[in-house]
């Protein structure tokens, strides 16, 4: 940190006693991450700053973390104790390019800001559902947007990256330049350097139609059947997508069941939603709105500042698989001793065939013959005394899903990097193929010959 402070001005190197250092703690989604205390936080203003900083960190053998949106629940993913946190929050550009057909995004931008800027021009992009999520980690981990049926994973939409590699090179990476690295960046979560700019195509868009439907828990079977029908018929309406969530907020002492629907064409009469809207529901926020308004609504339902643990699995898309997931959730919610403000939440997101078949990334899902379900579960809590309770409950729920889905031949081996727990291995077999793993290792040896990223 001392060496960085000699080369960079005071407004870029922040020590624990400074207000910017303290302010940065407030943006972390996970409380455990915010409590880590790096020796300093470095905020680069551009790619040359990143290059110089990585060189200094290598020379001093200093461990570091990289923070863009700070939206991971895994402790140490975007903050560090004692080392240096490279805070990309000032690399937050949203620059429209190519006469409106593309946009350059900084990794430190948040999707709420991206949508706000693009909406002024009648544009959108394949970005995150939640407005607080940062661009960098979301895109590099894959990115599952409302445009997935139409355009695939967000990472597959990327036209060009600007990156500082572990070898301290500044590279422009695209399908025609460094194409091996271009592929490797799609889903690998920043394994190959610090990405400083991302160019993506825009979408002409004014308004979308969507919102949440809240159901009585006893009607969950009808919700599952409706979601399965929407998933299986995705090719008939690529603009329509939905996911379902259920949870136990201890404060309210009751189960909550909801679906979030989105039609990116802004069509309130889409037949794709007929089954989901016909299931009796107790509340609805369905309406025409902007993508930014939807992102704000989702952000409000997922506040910052809680202690968290989260994991993911993938299943074959069937109503039976959804029931297995839900039944294990019910058992866990009954057996867990919750604190007064704590919560268990589960989300089921369909991965449709139109989505999966567009993949050009490290995931190796393009040969799937049927749709999948992206599963995630997370506990939120306030009191550190419950840490072990919820970590053990999460592991038990994970194990129950694995055993019960495997018994019905409904478990899939792939793990989504953006949702994976620290104890899960999304970049190893069987989550990715042996061929993909070998290709990633080849790219690593080429662009990180000193193995710097794993050492620091």
């Amino acid at each position: 940190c001392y060496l960085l402070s000699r080369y960079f001005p005071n407004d870029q190197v922040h020590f624990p006693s400074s207000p910017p250092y303290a302010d940065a703690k407030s943006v972390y989604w996970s409380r455990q991450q915010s409590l880590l205390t790096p020796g300093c936080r470095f905020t680069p203003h551009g790619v040359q700053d990143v290059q110089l900083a990585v060189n200094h960190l290598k020379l001093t053998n200093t461990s570091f973390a990289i923070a863009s949106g700070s939206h991971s629940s895994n402790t140490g993913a975007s903050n560090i104790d004692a080392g240096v946190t490279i805070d990309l929050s000032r690399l937050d550009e949203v620059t429209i390019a190519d006469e409106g057909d593309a946009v350059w995004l900084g990794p430190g931008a948040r999707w709420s800001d991206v949508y706000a800027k693009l909406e002024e021009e009648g544009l959108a992009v394949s970005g995150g559902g939640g407005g607080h999520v940062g661009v960098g980690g979301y895109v590099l981990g894959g990115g599952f947007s409302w445009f997935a049926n139409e355009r695939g994973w967000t990472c597959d939409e990327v036209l060009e990256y600007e990156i500082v590699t572990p070898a301290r090179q500044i590279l422009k990476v695209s399908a025609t330049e460094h194409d091996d690295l271009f592929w490797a960046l799609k889903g690998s979560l920043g394994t190959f350097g610090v990405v400083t700019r991302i160019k993506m195509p825009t979408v002409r868009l004014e308004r979308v139609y969507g919102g949440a439907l809240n159901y009585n828990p006893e009607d969950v079977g009808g919700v599952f059947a409706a979601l399965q029908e929407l998933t299986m018929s995705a090719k008939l309406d690529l603009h329509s997508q939905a996911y379902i969530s259920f949870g136990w907020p201890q404060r309210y002492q009751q189960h909550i069941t909801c679906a979030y629907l989105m039609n990116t064409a802004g069509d309130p009469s889409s037949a794709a939603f007929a089954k989901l809207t016909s299931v009796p529901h107790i509340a609805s926020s369905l309406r025409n709105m902007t993508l930014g308004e939807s992102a704000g609504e989702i952000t409000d339902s997922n506040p910052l500042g809680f202690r968290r643990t989260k994991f993911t699995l993938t299943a074959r898309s069937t109503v039976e698989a959804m029931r297995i997931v839900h039944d294990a959730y019910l058992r866990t919610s009954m057996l867990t001793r919750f604190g007064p403000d704590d919560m268990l939440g589960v989300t089921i997101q369909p991965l449709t065939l139109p989505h999966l078949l567009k993949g050009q990334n490290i995931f190796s899902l393009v040969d799937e013959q049927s749709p999948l379900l992206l599963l995630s579960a997370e506990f939120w809590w306030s009191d550190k005394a419950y840490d072990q309770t919820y970590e053990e409950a999460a592991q038990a729920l994970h194990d129950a899903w694995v055993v019960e889905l495997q018994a019905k031949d409904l478990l899939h081996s792939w793990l989504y990097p953006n949702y994976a727990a620290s104890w899960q291995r999304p970049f190893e077999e069987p989550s990715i193929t042996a061929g993909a793993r070998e290709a990633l290792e080849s790219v690593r040896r080429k662009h990180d010959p000193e193995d710097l990223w794993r050492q620091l």
Side-chain angles (χ1 to χ4, degrees):
C1 285
Y2 173 70
L3 185 59
L4 284 174
S5 68
R6 289 185 60 192
Y7 280 92
F8 293 98
N10 291 337
D11 68 340
Q12 289 187 255
V13 183
H14 307 294
F15 290 91
S17 59
S18 69
Y21 184 105
D23 292 343
K25 289 178 173 289
S26 67
V27 305
Y28 281 93
W29 185 57
S30 163
R31 178 71 173 159
Q32 296 102 310
Q33 283 238 86
S34 72
L35 293 176
L36 297 178
T37 54
C40 64
R41 298 182 67 90
F42 170 63
T43 54
H45 290 175
V47 65
Q48 287 80 17
D49 288 355
V50 173
Q51 181 188 45
L52 186 56
V54 170
N55 193 53
H56 286 337
L57 295 169
K58 190 258 183 184
L59 292 174
T60 57
N61 197 33
T62 302
S63 296
F64 63 94
I66 302 167
S68 54
S70 306
H71 207 262
S72 174
S73 60
N74 293 331
T75 303
S78 49
N79 206 4
I80 195 170
D81 266 330
V84 174
T85 294
I86 300 177
D87 184 342
L88 303 181
S89 59
R90 293 189 187 178
L91 302 185
D92 60 351
E93 74 166 307
V94 183
T95 304
I96 296 171
D98 299 345
E99 299 182 341
D101 290 335
V103 61
W104 280 102
L105 302 175
R110 299 189 185 277
W111 290 112
S112 56
D113 300 320
V114 173
Y115 296 144
K117 177 68 176 292
L118 293 180
E119 283 163 6
E120 294 174 0
E121 306 298 329
L123 300 173
V125 70
S126 295
H132 181 266
V133 176
V135 167
Y138 173 88
V139 174
L140 293 171
F144 186 0
S145 84
W146 290 120
F147 298 97
N149 290 346
E150 305 164 66
R151 309 174 78 92
W153 297 100
T154 300
C155 65
D156 289 324
E157 284 277 272
V158 174
L159 301 171
E160 184 178 327
Y161 299 96
E162 178 184 79
I163 185 172
V164 177
T165 70
R168 281 82 74 200
Q169 291 181 301
I170 297 174
L171 299 181
K172 307 294 185 183
V173 179
S174 68
T176 57
E177 296 182 271
H178 310 288
D179 59 324
D180 58 340
L181 182 55
F182 186 61
W183 169 81
L185 287 171
K186 296 181 178 184
S188 59
L189 271 181
T191 305
F192 298 97
V194 184
V195 170
T196 53
R197 299 180 85 204
I198 300 170
K199 187 180 185 182
M200 296 184 62
T202 56
V203 181
R204 304 288 169 177
L205 186 74
E206 294 291 342
R207 310 279 281 180
V208 298
Y209 177 79
L213 290 174
N214 288 67
Y215 302 95
N216 287 308
E218 57 266 27
D219 292 320
V220 71
V223 178
F224 292 159
L227 185 68
Q228 179 66 7
E229 181 169 318
L230 174 65
T231 302
M232 298 303 293
S233 60
K235 66 180 181 180
L236 300 178
D237 183 351
L238 297 178
H239 300 294
S240 294
Q241 195 180 143
Y243 65 80
I244 57 176
S245 300
F246 33 89
W248 175 265
Q250 180 67 16
R251 174 177 294 183
Y252 301 119
Q253 292 283 303
Q254 63 180 2
H255 294 285
I256 294 174
T257 303
C258 70
Y260 201 95
L261 285 57
M262 178 62 67
N263 180 278
T264 54
D267 181 7
S269 60
S270 171
F273 294 150
K275 289 291 181 67
L276 281 167
T277 55
S278 67
V279 177
H281 47 274
I282 54 179
S284 171
S285 68
L286 289 173
R287 65 201 186 278
N288 282 109
M289 57 181 164
T290 66
L291 204 57
E293 288 170 334
S294 171
E297 183 174 55
I298 293 172
T299 297
D300 290 343
S301 69
N302 204 341
L304 306 179
F306 283 92
R307 305 181 74 83
R308 297 178 188 270
T309 189
K310 181 174 183 173
F311 70 86
T312 186
L313 285 171
T314 306
R316 303 290 176 189
S317 185
T318 67
V319 170
E320 184 179 21
M322 296 182 209
R323 288 189 180 278
I324 288 171
V325 168
H326 187 258
D327 289 348
Y329 147 80
L330 289 176
R331 294 195 303 272
T332 300
S333 65
M334 288 188 291
L335 294 172
T336 303
R337 180 177 62 90
F338 287 90
D341 297 319
D342 304 346
M343 179 174 175
L344 165 61
V346 172
T347 300
I348 300 177
Q349 296 172 272
L351 299 171
T352 68
L353 281 181
H355 173 179
L356 295 175
L357 295 177
K358 293 180 175 67
Q360 300 174 18
N361 48 62
I362 73 168
F363 297 152
S364 307
L365 296 172
V366 293
D367 295 325
E368 294 298 322
Q369 301 299 309
S370 60
L372 304 174
L373 299 174
L374 177 56
L375 313 174
S376 60
E378 59 184 280
F379 286 89
W380 312 350
W381 68 100
S382 299
D383 189 343
K384 183 180 180 180
Y386 285 88
D387 283 7
Q388 183 175 351
T389 296
Y390 294 127
E391 293 292 350
E392 291 176 353
Q395 186 72 64
L397 179 57
H398 167 274
D399 294 348
W401 283 358
V402 168
V403 169
E404 294 169 37
L405 289 168
Q406 275 183 335
K408 299 294 185 178
D409 197 26
L410 293 171
L411 184 69
H412 193 281
S413 59
W414 178 69
L415 299 172
Y416 182 40
N418 278 342
Y419 293 173
S422 59
W423 40 267
Q424 295 185 291
R425 298 292 178 264
F427 306 125
E428 298 179 6
E429 297 178 69
S431 178
I432 62 173
T433 65
R437 178 65 183 168
E438 291 169 6
L440 289 171
E441 276 297 304
S442 176
V443 174
R444 183 193 63 76
R445 289 191 296 270
K446 179 179 178 180
H447 293 283
D448 188 6
E450 300 169 290
D451 202 19
L452 182 67
W453 241 229
R454 288 197 287 201
Q455 292 177 30
L456 300 183

